[in-house]
Amino acid sequence: PPETRAAARAPPRSGPAPVTDVDKLCVCDLLVAQCDVNCCCDPDCSAEDFSLFTTCSVPIVTGDSHLCSQKAAIYSLDVEANPPERIFKLIDQVNPSVFCIHTTNYKQALFLSSPEMPTSENFDQLLKQFGSASFSAEPDSWSMNTDAQNPSDENETYRYKYGVPIQTADAFLRLPSPVVSSWCSDANPAGFLVNQATKCIRSVSVEKCGNIQAVSMLFYINSSILAFVLQVNITVQSIVVQSLNGMRTLLNGSDVLRLPMILDELCVNIVLGVSYHITYTDAGEIIEAAAAFVLGAINKETLSIQQSFEISFTQVNTKPVPLSGNPGYVVGLPVRAGFRPQGYPFPIDIFFAALVLNTNKYSQLTILQSTSNQDCLAAQGARTPILFGYNMISGCKLRITAAMKCQPLTQTLLDLLKGQSFPEYVASFGNSQAQDVLDWVPITHLHISEQRIYNTFQSLCQIPVSLEMEVKWTKYGSLVNPQARIVNVTATITTTTLKQLPSGRERTIPITSSVVFTDISSPAEPGYKAWPTINAKLPFDFFFPFV
């Protein structure tokens, strides 16, 4: 029919255009047809309402922060005017980041397409498309003319960014992991700068061990990584052989490729674990790749083995520092600390370069470690790391004699409580980098003296008897997944007055050290309407561009 042909010739309907007029956006407009207090972009507010405002709760409104250039609405108050007035400006804002979106030409992201519902007819097709560990979410219409790319563009592809799968000559660097069940899936790609550690189960048998690729060393090193200019081969860093009873032996030579083979009804050289270590530059170029293997053996009764895989990254000319979270601290991991080297703030790039302390090679905040005999002089140098979220207390007993001098005793107790090199700064996040100066919180030192009155003719001595540390932290970021952030650290030394003992007399005093973690996150106030209620209706594009 003619109407059918006309409908076929009609262009396909596109989704609604997203709201990009920042002068019409207002994230603090929560009340319907009412003026929100201090919400300078609320269209329901009049000039009389603005005159009663004390500040603008949202001073700037922008659209997509990933765009290279966009409009920004600036709101402020002219408090010198009588009555005070709201000031509105619309400016062009430039994104200083080198990783920004120049134009949004991906039309499929401008509207939400209904996903295909699984049925008995299309179930096998959907399972084949989305059932693996990774799949392409790009539509068929999203294509590029790869033949027209310049050679320089191809090289730029392998300057990696965070999270991008590491490409190899045949596919990508594999890091097997469990997907739905505990069985290994080899379709999991290793992401750049994403430290991972996985464990999964692999089905094996002695008769077929030579034909199972995933238990051979060659499966993990036979392909080179695509780098900026050249291809980087994966070298074997070390080989550890594990016996059937679990004993491990490090082999002297790691340049020999050991393939699975049957020997005396055993299949030896089975890969039980692989640890990749990638070295990269600050430009995102991979320059070196190494793999450490754990090989084992199986007998005829073995039907499956557990394999472990790990990957870590180290920037060239730097030393790896263990992290305590990403980004926020994880409860039970050490609090990271360091001190400021001489010459700071010039140059800045060596800030916290001397993070490794004499008694603390992992750059951690430590506390006095209690010993079984409780002798303070025997406990000198014994330290234990402070674990985030764990309140701790330790101590010892000091036996004082009349022959002890005040000044050496005071210094000994200070070294006992604070350690040889007490840090000056604490990392606010678990993954704070040394070069990010603003991510480090200075430690505040306080001194408290216990005043005691003695005969003025007696010789008195002030000695430290306790170190109390308080770590204040707050929940940072999204309410769905808040991250722990340290905002303040206070170290308080308490001293007491000790009078000179008569000759031949002794006295025992307790020395204590403690740490307390305090959550200072602000709870939601009763009646505060900054968050929508459970029955609030969200805009249609609230989760754009995510489903």
Side-chain angles (χ1 to χ4, degrees):
E3 57 273 12
T4 304
R5 292 194 300 269
R9 289 193 301 267
R13 296 181 61 186
S14 60
V19 178
T20 55
D21 296 334
V22 292
D23 56 337
K24 298 180 181 179
L25 295 177
C26 190
V27 296
C28 58
D29 183 12
L30 304 177
L31 301 178
V32 179
Q34 296 183 42
C35 177
D36 291 81
V37 178
N38 290 338
C39 183
C40 295
C41 57
D42 192 345
D44 299 322
C45 297
S46 62
E48 183 179 0
D49 295 325
F50 292 138
S51 65
L52 301 177
F53 286 5
T54 58
T55 183
C56 290
S57 59
V58 181
I60 181 171
V61 178
T62 60
D64 190 353
S65 60
H66 297 91
L67 293 177
C68 297
S69 178
Q70 60 175 319
K71 295 288 185 180
I74 307 297
Y75 297 93
S76 61
L77 292 177
D78 184 6
V79 295
E80 296 182 356
N82 190 15
E85 299 176 350
R86 184 199 69 169
I87 301 176
F88 169 74
K89 293 181 181 179
L90 192 63
I91 64 173
D92 292 322
Q93 189 178 57
V94 178
N95 189 351
S97 175
V98 295
F99 302 111
C100 59
I101 301 175
H102 180 69
T103 179
T104 54
N105 55 1
Y106 185 25
K107 297 181 179 180
Q108 283 82 359
L110 299 180
F111 60 92
L112 179 62
S113 58
S114 300
E116 186 177 359
M117 299 300 296
T119 61
S120 57
E121 290 78 13
N122 64 0
F123 181 80
D124 293 336
Q125 174 191 351
L126 295 178
L127 181 63
K128 182 178 179 181
Q129 183 179 359
F130 302 106
S132 60
S134 62
F135 54 85
S136 175
E138 298 173 352
D140 297 336
S141 60
W142 182 255
S143 61
M144 299 176 62
N145 186 7
T146 55
D147 298 335
Q149 291 183 352
N150 297 325
S152 60
D153 295 335
E154 297 177 1
N155 289 337
E156 289 291 338
T157 304
Y158 307 117
R159 278 183 172 173
Y160 293 93
K161 301 178 183 179
Y162 176 84
V164 174
I166 299 177
Q167 302 291 323
T168 59
D170 54 355
F172 48 79
L173 185 63
R174 303 178 181 91
L175 197 72
S177 64
V179 183
V180 179
S181 62
S182 58
W183 296 98
C184 293
S185 172
D186 299 324
N188 179 41
F192 183 64
L193 296 184
V194 180
N195 295 330
Q196 298 185 61
T198 62
K199 291 183 179 181
C200 55
I201 297 177
R202 182 89 59 181
S203 177
V204 294
S205 65
V206 173
E207 294 78 9
K208 299 180 180 179
C209 71
N211 300 326
I212 304 177
Q213 293 183 348
V215 298
S216 172
M217 289 179 57
L218 193 62
F219 181 72
Y220 302 97
I221 61 173
N222 64 346
S223 184
S224 56
I225 295 176
L226 299 182
F228 177 58
V229 178
L230 302 175
Q231 294 185 3
V232 177
N233 295 324
I234 303 176
T235 60
V236 179
Q237 187 178 36
S238 63
I239 298 178
V240 175
V241 177
Q242 177 176 305
S243 62
L244 289 176
N245 58 7
M247 182 177 297
R248 292 191 175 187
T249 304
L250 176 64
L251 300 183
N252 294 329
S254 59
D255 56 346
V256 179
L257 185 64
R258 295 175 173 266
L259 300 179
M261 58 181 297
I262 299 177
L263 182 64
D264 296 335
E265 297 185 351
L266 297 177
C267 183
V268 297
N269 298 331
I270 292 288
V271 174
L272 300 179
V274 183
S275 296
Y276 290 108
H277 186 76
I278 308 297
T279 305
Y280 66 97
T281 65
D282 56 355
E285 304 168 12
I286 295 178
I287 60 174
E288 187 178 344
F293 288 90
V294 177
L295 304 181
I298 60 173
N299 51 29
K300 290 186 176 181
E301 288 76 18
T302 305
L303 301 179
S304 63
I305 59 173
Q306 184 185 61
Q307 292 180 308
S308 60
F309 302 93
E310 186 177 355
I311 185 170
S312 59
F313 298 84
T314 301
Q315 186 173 334
V316 65
N317 298 327
T318 61
K319 294 182 179 180
V321 178
L323 302 182
S324 297
N326 189 24
Y329 275 97
V330 176
V331 175
L333 294 184
V335 175
R336 302 175 61 228
F339 57 89
R340 181 174 59 186
Q342 294 182 355
Y344 176 81
F346 302 104
I348 293 181
D349 57 352
I350 67 170
F351 188 70
F352 290 102
L355 273 173
V356 180
L357 309 181
N358 295 334
T359 58
N360 181 14
K361 64 179 180 178
Y362 294 117
S363 311
Q364 300 164 354
L365 192 63
T366 60
I367 192 175
L368 169 68
Q369 182 177 0
S370 300
T371 58
S372 57
N373 55 11
Q374 293 292 304
D375 187 1
C376 288
L377 297 181
Q380 281 187 289
R383 313 287 296 178
T384 186
I386 294 177
L387 306 181
F388 182 83
Y390 286 5
N391 296 337
M392 306 171 66
I393 185 170
S394 61
C396 57
K397 294 181 180 180
L398 178 65
R399 186 169 56 90
I400 300 177
T401 62
M404 290 184 175
K405 303 298 182 181
C406 178
Q407 188 63 29
L409 178 61
T410 301
Q411 188 60 45
T412 300
L413 291 177
L414 280 177
D415 295 341
L416 179 69
L417 291 173
K418 303 176 66 174
Q420 294 295 327
S421 299
F422 193 76
E424 298 176 353
Y425 293 84
V426 168
S428 58
F429 291 101
N431 67 345
S432 296
Q433 299 298 316
Q435 62 270 19
D436 299 332
V437 181
L438 298 180
D439 269 2
W440 295 82
V441 179
I443 298 177
T444 303
H445 295 271
L446 300 177
H447 294 272
I448 299 178
S449 177
E450 294 181 356
Q451 298 294 334
R452 296 184 182 179
I453 301 177
Y454 294 98
N455 192 310
T456 56
F457 293 100
Q458 292 178 327
S459 178
L460 304 180
C461 177
Q462 289 279 343
I463 62 170
V465 293
S466 69
L467 170 63
E468 300 174 358
M469 285 180 285
E470 182 182 20
V471 180
K472 296 181 180 179
W473 65 280
T474 183
K475 298 182 179 70
Y476 181 84
S478 170
L479 292 175
V480 179
N481 185 25
Q483 303 294 310
R485 175 186 182 182
I486 294 178
V487 295
N488 181 267
V489 179
T490 303
T492 304
I493 291 286
T494 302
T495 61
T496 186
T497 304
L498 182 68
K499 65 179 181 179
Q500 181 67 37
L501 295 175
S503 179
R505 297 288 299 273
E506 294 182 356
R507 181 184 177 186
T508 302
I509 61 173
I511 306 297
T512 60
S513 183
S514 63
V515 60
V516 175
F517 288 83
T518 305
D519 183 4
I520 61 172
S521 303
S522 299
E525 299 179 3
Y528 186 62
K529 298 183 179 180
W531 310 107
T533 56
I534 194 67
N535 59 349
K537 184 178 181 182
L538 299 176
F540 76 97
D541 59 347
F542 183 80
F543 295 102
F544 168 82
F546 305 104
V547 177

